[in-house]
Amino acid sequence: MNQAGFPLLSLLTFLPLAGVVVIFCLRGDEEATARAARWTALWTSLIVFVLSLVLWFDFDKSFVGFQFQENLPWLPQYGASYRMGVDGISVMFVLISTALTPIAILSAWKQGGGRAREYMTAFLVLETTMIGIFSALDLLVFFVFFEAVLIPMFVIIGVWGGERRRYAAIKFFLFMFAGSMLMLLGIVALWIHDGTTSIPDMLHIPLPAHLQFWLFLAFFAAFAVKIPIWPVHTWLIDAHREAPIAGSVLLAGVLANMGGYGFLRFSVSLLPQASQSFAPLMFALAVVAIIYTSIAALVQRDLLKFCAYSSIGHMAIAVVGIFTFSVQGIEGSLFRMLSHGFITAALFICVGVLMDRMRSQSMDGYGGLARTMPFYALLFMIFAMGTVGLPGTAGFIGEILVIVAALKVNFWLSLLTGTTLILSAIYTLVMYRRVIFGGLERPELKVLQDIGPREIVMLVPLVILTIWMGIYPSSFSTFFDATANAMAQAHTVALAGTPAHLASAAGNLAVGSVTAGGAN
């Protein structure tokens, strides 16, 4: 099923590389070339975003399977092909990737120094890999993009980061690469067992319980690091601490969501029995992450580390929702991941606004900014309330759905997950009070300029999304309602354990995509 009538997903995926070619063809003095490179990257990302809106308007919300499919032979003798497509879950992650990329480029507008061309190139290459991950319907193609995303982010952190940027970049790469290598072993095992790497085809093939057990561990190694979840979260603290703000925008807004997406797409869908068996462990890790990161965020004085710990805690809520295997839990986790994407990205931009003016990320260096930067204080408050989960903001929808879904699993799980509403309110309000309220004790704070046009262009769309999702969540959930229902039903039926039941469950989830794929 391809409503567009042309290879839209491939165009979205590889169009940023055309911008890369244009950037490297630029000639002239250093300043003129840097300026042209920034504008080329921005316009390329905006064109990609506008094209991605075709997904929003033409997506068939009642269709359960994969849409906008493309299928070309790649290694037909080995059952591998270049296959692209999106369902109700992945389409939202493609859209958030294309929406945040131009915002990240704007936040990097004054950075890059004498390497602005290379800096802008890194963001465009990163956009290609992000869209490719969420669009791939072949395990090998998915793995190629999943690994390729490390390269531009490694460069962004390692070249344009802070004083300890090389340490943070190497730690980031090693954690990611180690997890991916274990996942590769799982992909090879699946390939040998199923004879294909087509994800829609794999949904029809039942796997023995012992194989599911080992495959779950293999995929867990990659996705748990990506989210990340305690105790494999330490790389993220260093990465956010040293990465440029633009890198943190995409690291928190998109790359963290890849772990949750992987759990939904592979662990829950392909490995239902193993996922059910490992659910108590996932709940335990998530609850520890929620409480531990909340305490760590509360005692932080570094704004970047504060945002990093807050990010980990909120993504842990999504993990709880995923492994309830219910419609409410799955949809709650999706709301949590999507809202986390633009709210946490906005918090990092707000921190970047201060760092651009004061060259400091320490809370102790601020205070009283409500007097000198009132509009900034207002926008910062909206994002702070969004991350707390205040009703009427995007953060509330996902958290309340996950808490309700967890209650159906276990009262104590729901109670401990729900502590995030209290803990996040405490540490967020403490941070906000230190930075925004109080007296103007430092003379340089008295002359700070409020946010300018470029910063308004970055932050106002994120404010709109934060309030829009909070007030009108059905405009988003309508995209993934059918897929979440089918996924929950497939998991329930698959646990019956007979091959017939397993095949029936997979068929409910993928029959539309397979028939559409055959039509191509």
Side-chain angles (χ1 to χ4, degrees), residues 35 95 107 116 127 164 220 252 312 337 346 400 466 487 489:
R35 183 170 58 251
L95 287 167
S107 69
E127 183 175 29
R164 301 177 71 240
F220 171 84
I312 296 168
M337 287 189 284
I400 198 65
T466 300
M487 186 174 290
Q489 180 186 5

Side-chain angles (χ1 to χ4, degrees), residues 229-304:
I229 194 169
W230 181 90
V232 289
H233 67 286
T234 58
W235 67 267
L236 185 68
I237 308 302
D238 292 306
H240 278 313
R241 178 63 178 78
E242 301 302 327
I245 292 299
S248 287
V249 167
L250 295 179
L251 191 60
V254 182
L255 268 68
N257 287 333
M258 292 175 185
Y261 172 77
F263 278 129
L264 283 170
R265 175 67 69 225
F266 301 104
S267 301
V268 174
S269 299
L270 297 180
L271 314 170
Q273 293 169 321
S275 294
Q276 187 73 34
S277 298
F278 279 99
L281 173 63
M282 300 304 296
F283 292 147
L285 295 177
V287 167
V288 170
I290 290 170
I291 297 174
Y292 165 72
T293 57
S294 296
I295 296 172
L298 181 61
V299 300
Q300 281 303 316
R301 290 294 190 271
D302 187 302
L303 283 166
L304 293 176

Side-chain angles (χ1 to χ4, degrees), residues 96-97 99-108 111 119 123 126 130 153 156-157 236 239-240 243-257 304 307 311 337-353 454 458-459 462:
I96 198 171
S97 300
L100 285 180
T101 300
I103 292 175
I105 289 173
L106 276 175
S107 69
Q111 302 168 353
Y119 197 33
F123 285 106
L126 183 60
M130 293 188 302
M153 185 55 72
I156 289 170
I157 298 172
L236 185 68
H240 278 313
I245 292 299
S248 287
V249 167
L250 295 179
L251 191 60
V254 182
L255 268 68
N257 287 333
L304 293 176
C307 292
S311 172
M337 287 189 284
L338 293 170
S339 63
H340 169 272
F342 49 80
I343 292 175
T344 306
L347 287 176
F348 275 109
I349 293 173
C350 287
V351 174
V353 169
R454 178 178 63 90
M458 290 189 290
L459 290 172
L462 299 178

